[in-house]
Amino acid sequence: MKQKTVVTGVIGSDTHIVGNRILSMALEKAGYTTIALGALTPAPDFVKAAVETNADAILVSSLYGQGELDCRGFRDLCVEAGLENILLYVGGNLVVGKRSWEETQRTYLAMGFDRAAPPGTRVETVLDWLERDLAARERGERRATA
Amino acid sequence: MKQKTVVTGVIGSDTHIVGNRILSMALEKAGYTTIALGALTPAPDFVKAAVETNADAILVSSLYGQGELDCRGFRDLCVEAGLENILLYVGGNLVVGKRSWEETQRTYLAMGFDRAAPPGTRVETVLDWLERDLAARERGERRATA
Amino acid sequence: MNAPAAPDPSLLPLSEARIPDDVFERMRRENLARWPTGAEVDFEAAVARHQALPKHKQLGWVMREADRQRRCLTQPRGGFGTFDMHRHLMVTLDKDGHADIVPTTTDSYTRNEQWQLAQKGIEESERAGRSMLNGYPMVNYGVARAAELVDAIDKPAIMLTGTAMPRLTGEIGYAGGYSGYLGSGIAYTTSYTKEFSIGEGIRNYQYLDRLVSMYQAHGVELHRRQPGFLTGTNVPPSIAIVTAVLDCLLAAAQGVRNYGLEMGETLHLVQDAAAVAACRELCQEYLQRRGHHDVFTPVTLLHWMGAWPHDDAQCAALVAYGGTLAAIAGAISVTTKSVHEAFGIPTPEANAEGLRMTRMAIYLAREIRLDGLKAFQDEKDLIEREVRAIVDKTLEMGDGDVALGTVRAFEAGVLDVPWSPSRYCKSRVIPARDAEGCLRIVDPGLMPFPKEVMEIHEEKLRRRAEKEGVPFGHELAVSSVYEMAEPIAKLLPDRIGRD
Amino acid sequence: MNAPAAPDPSLLPLSEARIPDDVFERMRRENLARWPTGAEVDFEAAVARHQALPKHKQLGWVMREADRQRRCLTQPRGGFGTFDMHRHLMVTLDKDGHADIVPTTTDSYTRNEQWQLAQKGIEESERAGRSMLNGYPMVNYGVARAAELVDAIDKPAIMLTGTAMPRLTGEIGYAGGYSGYLGSGIAYTTSYTKEFSIGEGIRNYQYLDRLVSMYQAHGVELHRRQPGFLTGTNVPPSIAIVTAVLDCLLAAAQGVRNYGLEMGETLHLVQDAAAVAACRELCQEYLQRRGHHDVFTPVTLLHWMGAWPHDDAQCAALVAYGGTLAAIAGAISVTTKSVHEAFGIPTPEANAEGLRMTRMAIYLAREIRLDGLKAFQDEKDLIEREVRAIVDKTLEMGDGDVALGTVRAFEAGVLDVPWSPSRYCKSRVIPARDAEGCLRIVDPGLMPFPKEVMEIHEEKLRRRAEKEGVPFGHELAVSSVYEMAEPIAKLLPDRIGRD
Ligand code: B12
Ligand code: B12
């Protein structure tokens, strides 16, 4: 099986790099080719990097609360660039304030993300999702269940 | 005007004497003849003391939560002893747990107390009530408004 | 009401001496006959039960282990009026609160051995669907139910019973597998009773301590504990420690080997750290002096025991600081409260939150000690001078007998407890908080504190009086009762200056 | 996007020198022209407005007064995306939270001078009826609205703007009557930007500092403040203080006289107390050395800046301890968080509760100091040795110019910040927490800490690695990032022993 490639970064004007960096390090260690765009990354840069590297997934971090504004239309950008089926995750503190996670998750899934991770998600969980979802893709499914 | 007499004490098996003692000291200082029965006072002892001293008011403290059991029938005891009209206050932590004050107050007023004081009531408030209620009594009213 | 509250005094004259086997046997028989559930106590079975308990459910072992590991354990209070409510509470405190020691607070009727009233309380609670009792009626429910409670948790269980009459409650709880009992003859009689003589209180706890020593003789290491927090109302450390030393000597004389010492927090970091160190050292000093060489005396601090504020946020700070103080003071455990304190007995959830706040605070302060700090050393010296003066005088008055000395010293006002409800205690000693936040003594009453010591107290309190523009005297004591309950805007006004 | 983010660098070569009057005039004109609301800034009117403010609403005066009274003031963070929401927030923090200093946090678009995006955010927030921005768009609302906010409260107001681009926000807020501004060229450029050069960040803050010095020349004592907390992620005190010293020297060179210094709490009582003392002394030492004799540099601690736990109870302990640490360390103010920290920007109510918890904690610890404790003295010495090594090397590299030295030192890795997002910062220095709970350095990267100092760090960290059975190295750093966010059951497991 070829080595999988993932693009990571923190979207918009967001400087919260710590969780994203730990995640990128863990992905690298787990054997993924990891394109880490770092903090303060405009949405189009993610897509560009994904196209250039023929990536299997994009992992978008947003911590600072304005992700809801920054992530609008992210899936459309992917589609425009020919990445209809790329796996899209988002995680962090995805809205301003403490809101119900169900509501927040719904908002992001509706934007076209395949999975959204609540505050405090650990890297082990993300690695597990990724492994199972990529395997599901091999089987032609959209993503693994649960 | 003759000096007014009040009976104070902590009802039932309750040992919380501090607030009651401070209250008694303040009443004394404010010019009331104060019969302080102290902690752990059975309900009949209050009534006996009030009869003996021809008291104008009885101030019952209950802190430990079991006041709801101890104070049942307190007004009846007074009536039996010929103290139909004696002014009756109760104060402290009147029920077990943190319950709505409205509900607690209703419970105690229904038992025949003229006033119930919520947790944390200060002596100034009690002195103020007493002065106004006793004056109202002089005018033949049950108690002062508010 | 029920059967008589005290053992027949004609049995033995009051003294510290260990109750002889035969007398004790007779006392136990009479005691267990006072309420039907007493008959359920089977000593042999109880010993077997304790021996079968895993070590981490035996408080005697757990306290020693905590000391060895330099841990500060957490323990809440709590009790509800029916078995089901109480079981739920204990499980919540264990699982959601991570309590290291799970409590059973008994209700106030049980504390006064008014078991008929307690029975009514159970029934009313069941009818109302909420607890009408302020604790769990241990005696009414009996041994088998106590055992079920102990089985429902994975920690040691302790009885908290604030009473001068522990004999039946203690028998039943210990028989059910509880491994700790909080209470003592001097402390509880002076703080929880009005008409109960101190001699009688001492006798009652001699019974309990003798019982524990009997378990000990059968290889069961139970934990006993002294409530030096007394009336919880601005009790200065030295007064707490004086009672701790005396109660401890009384217990040791009956053969107790695991004897915890509790003090309410003064809320001053340095004073609390000094108090814990002084308490530990002084108890051991007097135990050694009197030939008790193998008594383990871990010190526990208690979250603020005086009046609490009505604001949850302020309460949270008191709860957390309560953990900080205990950890830094090197207390082996801390007894916790919750943000509901000023209102009423907390819900299981609020109680569990108080435990977690405290536990986090302990974690944060885990390795810090103040030894070597001058203020700490000074405070510790001061406390020691105070304690020695009172304890030595008491022992002298008893002609070497702690029990007799104690009773005589209370009569003379040499021993005294502030804000006591007891007729047998003069309550002339009056404490207040000084400008730096330490508890001091405004008026020693008849307690023979050294003159130079009282000068220090007075000077520090005068500084506060001056700062606040109030007269030096009892007013300071009353405002100190309210102090911690005041709204924060009064304690630390905002707008630090005007122009 | 908008107008260019930095002043034309051809204006002046980078140096610490005070910007000459004529150049500054030109810079201001250009700056204020970048967005329509810039035109509302009328310097004369602004001076008059500040002079008309009561002293207790002037942060410069309030900080000095707090120092004189040995008070520890409280200040939260907070900003919402529309004027009405934000006004309500400020009033709540003032009235219900008793905040001593009321904040206006700007949103992240404003921080990046993306005023068009901010405008969209305002509109979306109004439509949604909740804030879609993580702060208040100060520039978009302009001077008159800023003034209304200041008028709505009875405390001094401070701008919190986490940006390397403070020039227009600062002009507008100060003109509106804000009397404090948090931010600095070194600290924020390394912690809040990716592609922004450190020289540019320094220039931008030189502008702001020069502006404050212009107010000063007109008799208005504004407060400036340095965010030494940096990335908030296990930043060891010495690294915070190095940036504090350098930013402070840069500000003093522009003529600033009131310059606060902020540090994130390490959460170790002794280390924090030592850090505050060292920061105060070292800043003054270097200021004096370079001829700045009248700069007031009060130190502020910040509630834990790393990741928070998801349990309200654990958070409450962190909040309260945050007040305890600041009070005992002798910080002049503390910047607070709330129990919502791990989830999102707090509601005004939760924010106000965090303030009251902290305030109560400060009250409880108000008179305690650790001076004289050996551990305190050792820690302070260690910090001082670390700071002097780095600052001296930096000054040497700049041939006596702080600005040049800083840029060159970052290029060389002599100056470094852990977990920085910036391309201009190597981020090779790696911190972790040791077994006692102090922040230490696992790997100094290229920072020239003395060898003996690094040996101490390594030894202490090795002890932790050993205790936890993990290898000494970067893993320690990652687990230290998570540590305070862990559930309490992991931090302090219950069941202290098994059998
Ligand atoms: C440290 C920190 C900072 C540091 C950041 C340093 C840096 N350069 O990285 C500093 C001090 C600079 C900072 C600044 C600000 N911060 Co900040 N910060 C935090 C804090 C305390 C911890 C974040 C952190 O590092 N966590 C540790 C890491 C390991 O966890 P993580 O980032 O959550 O990442 C993990 C998971 O989320 C997940 N994950 C992350 N990304 C992804 C992506 C995918 C696809 C998946 C599946 C999973 C995933 O895996 C990661 C590893 O386990 C949080 C609050 C908290 N969590 O306690 C606030 C917080 C994120 N900040 C916040 C805010 C608002 C700000 C500021 C705007 C300032 C302000 N108003 O106070 C500025 C923003 C500046 C900017 N333009 O972005 C808010 C966001 C509010 C909201 N969403 O409602 C928070 C929640 C605090 C709060 N309650 O107000 N902050
Ligand atoms: C100090 C204290 C103790 C001390 C009492 C010392 C003593 N001998 O007095 C000790 C440690 C011994 C103690 C024991 C117990 N306590 Co206690 N105690 C407190 C505490 C912390 C402060 C009480 C106090 O002194 N307040 C200061 C004084 C000045 O205020 P006050 O008493 O409220 O009185 C003022 C007003 O209420 C009012 N007032 C009082 N009486 C009256 C009467 C009238 C007519 C009026 C108008 C006004 C009025 O004026 C007073 C002056 O301002 C309270 C909680 C709190 N408030 O913070 C718990 C509290 C009262 N205790 C409680 C309990 C349950 C107990 C125990 C059963 C033990 C336990 N389970 O933990 C035992 C009971 C023993 C017994 N048999 O009574 C509960 C009661 C629960 C409930 N109602 O739901 C409380 C509320 C704590 C809690 N949240 O669990 N306690």
Side-chain angles (χ1 to χ4, degrees), chain B residues 93 95-101 103-104 119, chain C residues 80 309-312 315 338-347 350:
Chain B
N93 295 72
V95 292
V96 172
K98 183 176 179 178
R99 272 166 64 209
S100 106
W101 173 244
E103 198 188 325
T104 303
Chain C
F80 287 126
H310 286 77
D311 171 26
D312 283 11
C315 289
S338 81
V339 301
H340 285 187
E341 178 65 14
F343 295 98
I345 289 182
T347 58

Side-chain angles (χ1 to χ4, degrees), chain C residues 17-346:
Chain C
R18 186 161 202 269
I19 306 172
D21 289 355
D22 57 332
V23 180
F24 189 52
E25 216 186 292
R26 206 155 13 107
M27 287 166 85
R28 286 193 76 215
R29 229 176 7 246
E30 285 169 22
N31 180 35
L32 295 175
R34 291 189 300 145
W35 188 258
T37 52
E40 298 172 16
V41 174
D42 172 344
F43 186 75
E44 236 92 289
V47 166
R49 171 160 174 75
H50 279 283
Q51 276 163 345
L53 280 180
K55 283 225 168 9
H56 70 265
K57 291 185 70 173
Q58 300 179 20
L59 189 51
W61 182 85
V62 165
M63 292 298 283
R64 284 182 193 261
E65 185 64 15
D67 183 44
R68 210 182 53 74
Q69 294 184 24
R70 280 171 61 107
R71 279 283 293 262
C72 176
L73 306 178
T74 59
Q75 179 217 297
R77 298 185 181 80
F80 287 126
T82 71
F83 177 83
D84 289 336
M85 291 181 206
H86 187 62
R87 185 181 187 285
H88 169 71
L89 172 65
M90 288 179 76
V91 171
T92 304
L93 297 175
D94 175 9
K95 299 295 180 294
D96 299 347
H98 305 285
D100 293 306
I101 307 167
V102 178
T104 291
T105 300
T106 56
D107 70 285
S108 289
Y109 295 143
T110 299
R111 289 159 182 234
N112 290 295
E113 304 197 328
Q114 298 163 316
W115 300 306
Q116 276 106 341
L117 288 181
Q119 198 60 42
K120 255 184 56 188
I122 295 174
E123 285 153 23
E124 294 231 24
S125 301
E126 262 161 9
R127 218 170 310 131
R130 63 186 167 86
S131 187
M132 307 287 282
L133 296 174
N134 60 12
Y136 176 73
M138 176 75 87
V139 172
N140 295 62
Y141 277 112
V143 176
R145 280 323 193 61
E148 272 184 70
L149 292 172
V150 171
D151 289 341
I153 56 168
D154 198 28
K155 312 282 173 61
I158 188 169
M159 292 173 266
L160 310 178
T161 77
T163 179
M165 291 162 267
R167 293 179 302 131
L168 194 47
T169 304
E171 284 275 9
I172 287 177
Y174 276 139
Y178 280 74
S179 51
Y181 191 110
L182 171 66
S184 70
I186 302 172
Y188 270 160
T189 310
T190 54
S191 329
Y192 281 74
T193 72
K194 180 161 76 172
E195 306 285 358
F196 212 85
S197 83
I198 290 166
E200 254 178 286
I202 289 177
R203 279 175 191 284
N204 277 344
Y205 275 96
Q206 284 177 323
Y207 175 107
L208 188 70
D209 290 334
R210 185 64 181 72
L211 176 66
V212 166
S213 141
M214 192 165 109
Y215 274 100
Q216 176 88 40
H218 288 73
V220 177
E221 290 259 356
L222 298 178
H223 177 79
R224 280 277 297 117
R225 199 180 272 201
Q226 197 264 0
F229 57 82
L230 302 169
T231 53
T233 306
N234 294 336
V235 177
S238 59
I239 294 184
I241 297 173
V242 164
T243 65
V245 170
L246 297 171
D247 270 325
C248 185
L249 292 176
L250 288 169
Q254 296 303 319
V256 171
R257 301 265 179 77
N258 289 291
Y259 199 72
L261 307 162
E262 289 193 347
M263 285 187 290
E265 292 176 350
T266 65
L267 294 182
H268 189 283
L269 179 63
V270 175
Q271 192 172 35
D272 277 326
V276 168
C279 182
R280 195 171 35 218
E281 290 174 23
L282 286 162
C283 283
Q284 282 301 325
E285 176 183 320
Y286 281 98
L287 282 168
Q288 301 295 341
R289 254 205 241 171
R290 299 180 70 93
H292 305 296
H293 301 297
D294 56 355
V295 187
F296 173 60
T297 53
V299 181
T300 291
L301 279 184
L302 291 87
H303 275 175
W304 177 235
M305 289 295 291
W308 281 54
H310 286 77
D311 171 26
D312 283 11
Q314 286 178 247
C315 289
L318 274 174
V319 169
Y321 201 46
T324 305
L325 294 169
I328 295 181
I332 305 298
S333 81
V334 58
T335 302
T336 64
K337 292 194 174 184
S338 81
V339 301
H340 285 187
E341 178 65 14
F343 295 98
I345 289 182

Side-chain angles (χ1 to χ4, degrees), chain A residues 9 13-20 22-23 40 58-66 89-98 115-123 126 129, chain D residues 77-79 105-108 111-112 134-135 162 190-192 229-233 304-310 337-338 340-346 419-421 481-482 485:
Chain A
S13 302
D14 191 340
T15 66
H16 291 92
I17 191 62
V18 181
N20 180 273
I22 290 178
L23 197 55
L40 290 148
I58 304 180
L59 273 57
V60 177
S61 294
S62 176
L63 277 288
Y64 73 155
Q66 300 184 179
Y89 290 177
V90 65
N93 295 72
L94 295 174
V95 293
V96 171
K98 183 176 178 176
R115 290 193 190 260
T121 302
R122 290 305 171 86
V123 288
V126 185
W129 286 354
Chain D
R77 297 186 182 81
T105 300
T106 55
D107 69 284
S108 289
R111 291 161 180 230
N112 289 296
N134 60 12
T190 53
S191 330
Y192 281 74
F229 56 82
L230 303 168
T231 54
T233 304
W304 177 236
M305 289 294 291
W308 281 55
H310 286 78
K337 293 193 173 185
S338 80
H340 284 187
E341 179 64 13
F343 296 100
I345 290 183
W419 298 104
S420 163
V481 167
Y482 287 115

Side-chain angles (χ1 to χ4, degrees), chain D residues 172-355:
Chain D
I172 286 177
Y174 275 140
Y178 281 74
S179 52
Y181 192 110
L182 171 67
S184 70
I186 303 172
Y188 271 161
T189 309
T190 53
S191 330
Y192 281 74
T193 71
K194 181 162 74 171
E195 305 286 356
F196 213 83
S197 84
I198 291 167
E200 254 179 285
I202 290 178
R203 278 175 191 283
N204 277 343
Y205 275 95
Q206 283 177 322
Y207 176 107
L208 188 71
D209 290 334
R210 186 61 183 74
L211 176 67
V212 166
S213 142
M214 193 164 108
Y215 274 99
Q216 176 89 39
H218 288 75
V220 177
E221 290 258 355
L222 298 177
H223 177 81
R224 280 278 296 116
R225 198 180 271 198
Q226 198 264 358
F229 56 82
L230 303 168
T231 54
T233 304
N234 295 337
V235 177
S238 59
I239 293 183
I241 297 173
V242 164
T243 66
V245 169
L246 297 171
D247 270 326
C248 185
L249 291 176
L250 289 169
Q254 296 303 319
V256 170
R257 300 264 182 77
N258 290 290
Y259 198 74
L261 307 163
E262 289 193 345
M263 284 186 292
E265 293 175 347
T266 65
L267 295 181
H268 188 283
L269 180 63
V270 176
Q271 192 172 36
D272 277 327
V276 168
C279 182
R280 196 171 35 221
E281 291 173 24
L282 287 163
C283 283
Q284 283 300 325
E285 176 183 320
Y286 281 97
L287 282 168
Q288 300 296 340
R289 252 204 241 172
R290 298 181 69 94
H292 306 295
H293 300 298
D294 55 355
V295 187
F296 173 62
T297 53
V299 180
T300 291
L301 280 184
L302 290 89
H303 275 175
W304 177 236
M305 289 294 291
W308 281 55
H310 286 78
D311 172 25
D312 282 12
Q314 286 177 249
C315 288
L318 274 174
V319 169
Y321 201 45
T324 305
L325 294 169
I328 295 182
I332 305 299
S333 81
V334 58
T335 301
T336 64
K337 293 193 173 185
S338 80
V339 300
H340 284 187
E341 179 64 13
F343 296 100
I345 290 183
T347 58
E349 293 66 38
N351 210 337
E353 275 177 25
L355 280 162

